[in-house]
Amino acid sequence: MIGRKTLLWTGALFISAGLFFLLLWNIGFSNVVRVFQGVRPGYLVISFFLYVLVLQLRGMRFSWIMGCSIPALSSLRVAALHQFYSVYVPFRLGEASFLVVARNAYGAGVDRSIPVLIVSRLFDLLCVALIGLTGLMFTIDASLNAYKTFFAVLAALTLIMALVLPKLSGIAGRKLKTLGDESSRSKLWSFGNVLVSASEMLAGGSGRYPMLVWYSVSSWLVSLVSFMFILLSLSYGFNISSGAVLFSLANLMGVLAFFTVAGIGVSEAGLGAAIALQGMDLHQAMAYGLGIRVAMIVLLAAVTLFIELLYRLMNQASD
């Protein structure tokens, strides 16, 4: 009998492949080839090492929230593996990989790692929304007003969550803990404990709030610069504001298209539509959208492989 995970993977692969080839068919293979013919490898190399820095900052954020001190390379590997699986595993099931890597790296249980993941992702969403909104504020093109509204609403909702969630999750968590059995660590008590921990982290009760903001903002700003070097490598003409908008869309599309593998087939079309709104021919815009996403996906895979090989080599050298 075929397992549930196999069905999910098969379905996601078929959807991604179908959407990808449908998009490629409409774009025209020659337009895609034209985009990649002008690739400038030097910019990709810079983007590669900037993305390593991004993951290092995120790994340091995980360690800071956890209150654990582990080697920099280990925290880098935690962030790299989590990012890789969260992007490549469909239906966002890869997010659960953090529970495994956190247990191996920090010795943290689920009741500790889940709140850390919730808090980290909440700040990630806020940073992406604010970058997109800031970019749009410097864009006077009326055709982008719908995007402005979208990012403004997203940023507002995330801010409200950041302000309201600590109190609500704390109240709900303490109530669930009283209803659950602490001695046997029942599921009800454990879930309540997760909510209380998340509440304390979001409220800054642990004294880690300022550094959490610093690591989140700095990692996403470096990620934005890395993305702009990808645009430069493809000889795509842009300014800082349009680059910020495309960066935010590229990251959000991958999350919204959770039913595909790495957002393939959906993210490219969304990016292409945004580029077309800036005045480029639709087929050429879609080709650039496809090129940008391919570069992002390959870059993540290459960076993750590099970090994993470096981690293994360093471990072997120390043995």
Side-chain angles (χ1 to χ4, degrees):
M1 185 176 179
I2 300 175
R4 184 182 176 185
K5 289 184 179 180
T6 304
L7 286 174
L8 288 174
W9 264 102
T10 304
L13 285 171
F14 269 110
I15 292 171
S16 297
L19 291 173
F20 181 81
F21 284 110
L22 181 63
L23 182 65
L24 189 61
W25 178 270
N26 283 279
I27 293 173
F29 188 71
S30 60
N31 286 319
V32 178
V33 171
R34 204 173 297 122
V35 168
F36 285 105
Q37 278 178 338
V39 169
R40 292 183 276 185
Y43 287 124
L44 284 177
V45 172
I46 296 173
S47 180
F48 177 94
F49 286 106
L50 282 172
Y51 200 72
V52 172
L53 177 58
V54 169
L55 294 175
Q56 183 66 79
L57 288 167
R58 291 181 187 173
M60 292 168 69
R61 181 181 65 177
F62 285 141
S63 297
W64 185 263
I65 304 173
M66 285 282 187
C68 299
S69 179
I70 62 173
L73 185 56
S74 296
S75 63
L76 173 62
R77 181 173 181 261
V78 168
L81 290 177
H82 171 242
Q83 183 67 12
F84 179 83
Y85 287 119
S86 64
V87 168
Y88 279 91
V89 178
F91 300 96
R92 304 304 296 179
L93 296 176
E95 293 288 352
S97 66
F98 181 71
L99 308 185
V100 178
V101 295
R103 184 185 64 220
N104 295 335
Y106 304 109
V110 173
D111 59 342
R112 183 66 179 165
S113 54
I114 290 180
V116 171
L117 183 59
I118 292 172
V119 172
S120 299
R121 282 315 196 191
L122 183 61
F123 273 81
D124 287 342
L125 181 61
L126 179 58
C127 288
V128 171
L130 289 176
I131 287 173
L133 182 60
T134 302
L136 284 167
M137 289 301 100
F138 290 94
T139 304
I140 59 174
D141 191 342
S143 64
L144 296 177
N145 284 340
Y147 286 99
K148 292 180 182 179
T149 303
F150 169 73
F151 280 114
V153 170
L154 181 61
L157 287 175
T158 312
L159 277 172
I160 291 171
M161 286 175 63
L163 293 172
V164 175
L165 197 59
K167 191 169 184 65
L168 291 182
S169 62
I171 293 171
R174 283 187 285 274
K175 182 65 176 177
L176 288 174
K177 287 179 73 173
T178 60
L179 295 175
D181 184 4
E182 181 176 0
S183 60
S184 62
R185 296 243 165 187
S186 65
K187 290 183 178 179
L188 199 61
W189 185 92
S190 297
F191 183 61
N193 195 46
V194 166
L195 291 178
V196 171
S197 297
S199 170
E200 291 172 351
M201 290 178 191
L202 286 169
S206 59
R208 299 189 179 95
Y209 194 85
M211 291 304 294
L212 171 61
V213 173
W214 160 251
Y215 283 131
S216 299
V217 172
S218 60
S219 69
W220 280 103
L221 288 178
V222 176
S223 184
L224 171 61
V225 177
S226 175
F227 176 80
M228 288 184 175
F229 273 104
I230 289 178
L231 298 183
L232 287 171
S233 73
L234 297 175
S235 302
Y236 173 75
F238 68 98
N239 54 41
I240 294 176
S241 59
S242 64
V245 174
L246 290 178
F247 169 76
S248 297
L249 286 174
N251 283 280
L252 289 173
M253 287 289 181
V255 175
L256 296 175
F258 60 89
F259 49 86
T260 65
V261 177
I264 293 173
V266 178
S267 300
E268 296 82 3
L271 277 176
I275 294 171
L277 284 175
Q278 297 176 11
M280 188 180 287
D281 172 74
L282 181 60
H283 287 86
Q284 188 180 2
M286 288 294 177
Y288 267 110
L290 180 62
I292 291 167
R293 279 290 295 166
V294 168
M296 291 177 68
I297 292 172
V298 172
L299 182 71
L300 173 59
V303 168
T304 305
L305 179 61
F306 169 75
I307 292 170
E308 185 64 20
L309 289 174
L310 182 62
Y311 177 81
R312 291 174 182 268
L313 287 172
M314 293 298 290
N315 274 356
Q316 288 177 3
S318 60
D319 290 342

